[in-house]
Amino acid sequence: MGEVAARRGPGPALIYYGLIVTAVVLIGSTTVLSWRALDDLEQAMQGVVHTHDVIAAASGIEATLGKAESAQRDYLLLGDERLLQTFEEVVLDLHRQLDELERLVDDSAAQTERARQLRSDIEDRLSVSRQAISMRQTQGIAEAIAYVRQGRGMTASALAREEARQFQREELRLLRSRQRMLDSYQGQTRTTIAFAIGFGLLAGTLGFGMMSRTQRMRLSQHRAELDAARARQASREKSAFLANMSHEIRTPMNAIFGFSQLLAERVRGEEERRYLRAIKASGKTLLALINDILDLSKIEAGKLDLRAVPTDPHEVIEGSLGMFAQMAADKRLSLRADVDPEVPEAILIDPTRLRQVLFNLIGNAVKYTERGGVVVRLAAEKADAEVEAVRLRLAVEDTGIGIRGEDLERIFDPFVRAEERRAGGSEASGTGLGLSITRRIVELMGGSISVQSMPSQGSTFTVELPHVPLSPEKPAATAAAEHTDMNRLRPARIMVVDDVALNRELIQAIFSDSHHEVITARDGVEAVSLARQHVPDVVLMDIRMPVMDGREAGAAIRSESTLSRVRLVALTASSMVGDERSLREDFDGYVRKPFAREDLYRELARFIPEVDTRDEVDTHEEVAPEQIARGAEREAVIGELRRLRQDVWPELSDSLAMREVRVFATDLVGLGQRAGAAALVAYGRRLAKSVDAFDVLNVESQLAQFPQQLREAGLPAQAEAQGR
């Protein structure tokens, strides 16, 4: 049977595709030859036309020169001024013809030089003519004719005519050459057309057979376009759904965070504080998951914006390391940065997204490392000698469990976590979106990210940003911490507008112990009415509300002339960048839910002046030990300080647990305010600032000063002794 198959030759499918390939090659070859022949033919025809134009121009110049000489002679003989005008018109026409001739022959150096010589000869002839005309006008006809008979004009005329004829002879030679080329191209064109007809018949036969295939392809393409349209619609619906869900989730999260913070300032039991910390940690985890999903959705929809501002990369890295300092200390890992001295102090980049990249990479490195440590390296080199930009190379190295080779290919895919890393224990959890979002953010910045890893030997994630502009301005200074005592703001009337009762109650609770007056409204209509009655200083306005939303209410308040000085601050759970930009245009301020007390204070401080606290700063000289309150309140404060000195302070000094130190500092501020001990209040605030700035060395130094601060606050000597 093999011999029979061999005798039958190739199958029909092979023949079909062979014919198609042959037809395509033949048609392509014919097309190329036809285009070349047509192009050559067109060039030859253009050359012939060009030659005719040059010959006509040279002949016209010769004829016009004769007209100029005739007008000159007639004027010399008759003296009629109209003949002089005719002469000047002919001369102008002659110059235009010379210009046109030079334009026609500018592609030939020899002809261009000949045209210049022709112009020079004609100018000599016209110069003689003008001199003769001038003599006719001033000295009479006899002198003019005698001047002409000297022969200078005749010589110039003869030279000019010879140059013009030389132009014609040269162009006639070119014309004959181009005519031969034209004949040759015509022959080639006829041959090509004959081949094209044959190839066309073959192509037509094949084309008829391919029509059905083309129709099937078009139908398939149409179906693909419909599928793509459905996918885009689904993406839009997904984005809208995620945005709405984010808003709905952030609204109750605002109450969870806000009331947790208020409770943390009031409870004193360690067990209750632990419960509150668990609530806040769980809430932050939930919020991080929401943000990851929203970021991925924004990236897929092309709506994730980058806002490049002057940024200090050193500060970004230090702050990012500080966020994981406690986590690394708990695992007894080293965590450090190695920054090249060439790294500039001011670059133009989106600091939020850069921190997000560092947060994901450092967080993973610490999470999956049990021994050794994590190093963040940053190097820079000049991107271009002529451009003020640098190439940044950021690497995060760890000595952790590593990644298997088969997982390296997909480690940056969404919802993927490598098997080796999932084996890392209970901490190896998450959505699997962090590295996917990191890669896409880096790509939006115009860079790339790669990974090198070996199981049990650690991993190195490297980010390359090839073109980061230098900033002409220095980055704005970052505050170490924010005040949270609302009494530091001068008394003000604040209106809270929100359709969710818990949100109104939360803000009322924040201001409950302050000297501010708080007015609440459930929707925009009630807000406008109450604003007319009470004229608040600041309105904290929710956006999504029934009856009248925040935008409409804000516009209505602004339209009232008596409310022109009211400041409007948008309170929104929206997480979309476009919404934030729009709200910042319509409102004086912006706070996103869930917010902390510091966020609210910072925004209000833009519109409400702070109380002068200079007397509270210099405490060592102005506050005496006797300032601590007397009686029962004094004993209660001393007892709480003694407990902190004996039970809390020694453990914090050893562990440097930043979250616990922050609670410790807040307690000291509260105790100092209860006792009227400004020195203790100032010390607690300094310690809180150092914690918020993740300044570990400063925190350790300030904790060591606690016993001295107790003495300065007026704690009796026996209480201090008991605490030793």
Side-chain angles (χ1 to χ4, degrees), residues 674-686:
R674 287 170 57 190
L680 192 59
V681 173
Y683 169 70
R685 286 176 175 160
R686 288 197 304 272

Side-chain angles (χ1 to χ4, degrees), residues 636-648:
V637 170
I638 291 175
E640 184 64 19
L641 288 173
R642 182 181 294 116
R643 184 189 70 81
L644 293 176
R645 170 67 175 82
Q646 294 174 345
D647 302 333
V648 179

Side-chain angles (χ1 to χ4, degrees), residues 580-592:
E580 178 179 345
R581 186 182 300 112
S582 174
L583 288 171
R584 288 191 181 278
E585 292 175 355
D586 295 339
F587 288 79
D588 301 305
Y590 176 93
V591 176
R592 191 174 75 170

Side-chain angles (χ1 to χ4, degrees), residues 40-94:
D40 293 340
L41 186 61
E42 183 180 0
Q43 290 183 5
M45 292 180 67
Q46 289 177 353
V48 170
V49 172
H50 180 270
T51 298
H52 281 294
D53 290 343
V54 173
I55 292 174
S59 299
I61 289 173
E62 187 175 3
T64 305
L65 180 60
K67 290 179 182 179
E69 292 174 340
S70 176
Q72 173 225 319
R73 284 195 304 271
D74 292 344
Y75 176 75
L76 293 180
L77 294 174
L78 301 177
D80 189 348
E81 293 296 328
R82 289 175 297 178
L83 294 173
L84 183 59
Q85 182 179 358
T86 300
F87 172 79
E88 294 297 337
E89 291 174 354
V90 172
V91 168
L92 288 175
D93 190 31
L94 186 60

Side-chain angles (χ1 to χ4, degrees), residues 426-710:
S426 60
E427 288 187 352
S429 60
T431 61
L433 290 174
L435 288 178
S436 175
I437 292 171
T438 297
R439 182 185 65 178
R440 300 192 187 196
I441 290 174
V442 170
E443 290 173 349
L444 283 175
M445 290 179 172
S448 61
I449 184 171
S450 59
V451 57
Q452 293 179 336
S453 182
M454 291 288 291
S456 303
Q457 296 184 22
S459 305
T460 299
F461 286 83
T462 303
V463 174
E464 296 276 357
L465 298 176
H467 187 87
V468 180
L470 298 178
S471 173
E473 303 175 3
K474 292 184 177 180
T478 302
E482 300 290 346
H483 296 298
T484 58
D485 183 2
M486 294 301 175
N487 281 328
R488 294 181 67 88
L489 301 176
R490 292 184 180 178
R493 180 174 295 163
I494 300 170
M495 177 183 288
V496 182
V497 187
D498 202 307
D499 62 314
V500 179
L502 279 177
N503 289 338
R504 299 195 301 271
E505 184 180 347
L506 169 62
I507 297 179
Q508 282 183 303
I510 290 175
F511 290 103
S512 61
D513 296 330
S514 71
H515 50 221
H516 302 287
E517 178 185 354
V518 178
I519 305 167
T520 62
R522 292 168 294 182
D523 55 52
V525 173
E526 186 177 6
V528 175
S529 175
L530 291 176
R532 291 170 180 160
Q533 297 177 32
H534 299 283
V535 190
D537 297 295
V538 178
V539 176
L540 303 177
M541 182 80 72
D542 187 29
I543 301 304
R544 295 189 183 183
M545 295 183 294
V547 185
M548 178 185 286
D549 66 21
R551 291 180 187 271
E552 295 173 336
I557 291 174
R558 289 192 187 280
S559 65
E560 300 278 345
S561 59
T562 57
L563 303 177
S564 60
R565 294 189 178 183
V566 175
R567 294 290 178 257
L568 302 177
V569 177
L571 288 182
T572 178
S574 173
S575 60
M576 305 306 288
V577 175
D579 293 343
E580 178 179 345
R581 186 182 300 112
S582 174
L583 288 171
R584 288 191 181 278
E585 292 175 355
D586 295 339
F587 288 79
D588 301 305
Y590 176 93
V591 176
R592 191 174 75 170
K593 301 174 185 175
F595 59 83
R597 174 182 250 174
E598 298 86 24
D599 302 325
L600 190 59
Y601 182 96
R602 182 173 58 250
E603 198 65 19
L604 289 175
R606 296 176 54 210
F607 314 112
I608 303 174
E610 290 186 330
V611 177
D612 189 356
T613 58
R614 286 175 296 179
D615 293 338
E616 190 178 351
V617 176
D618 190 7
T619 58
H620 294 292
E621 296 180 1
E622 298 180 12
V623 180
E626 291 77 15
Q627 284 184 287
I628 294 183
R630 303 294 182 183
E633 182 70 11
R634 178 177 183 275
E635 291 302 322
V637 170
I638 291 175
E640 184 64 19
L641 288 173
R642 182 181 294 116
R643 184 189 70 81
L644 293 176
R645 170 67 175 82
Q646 294 174 345
D647 302 333
V648 179
W649 175 71
E651 182 179 348
L652 292 182
S653 299
D654 293 335
S655 67
L656 291 180
M658 303 298 273
R659 291 186 293 270
E660 304 301 327
V661 175
R662 187 65 171 84
V663 174
F664 178 74
T666 302
D667 288 345
L668 292 181
V669 172
L671 291 171
Q673 290 174 340
R674 287 170 57 190
L680 192 59
V681 173
Y683 169 70
R685 286 176 175 160
R686 288 197 304 272
L687 182 58
K689 287 182 180 181
S690 298
V691 173
D692 292 340
F694 298 101
D695 190 344
V696 179
L697 294 178
N698 212 0
V699 168
E700 185 177 13
S701 173
Q702 290 177 0
L703 278 175
Q705 300 171 15
F706 180 56
Q708 178 184 353
Q709 295 296 329
L710 291 179

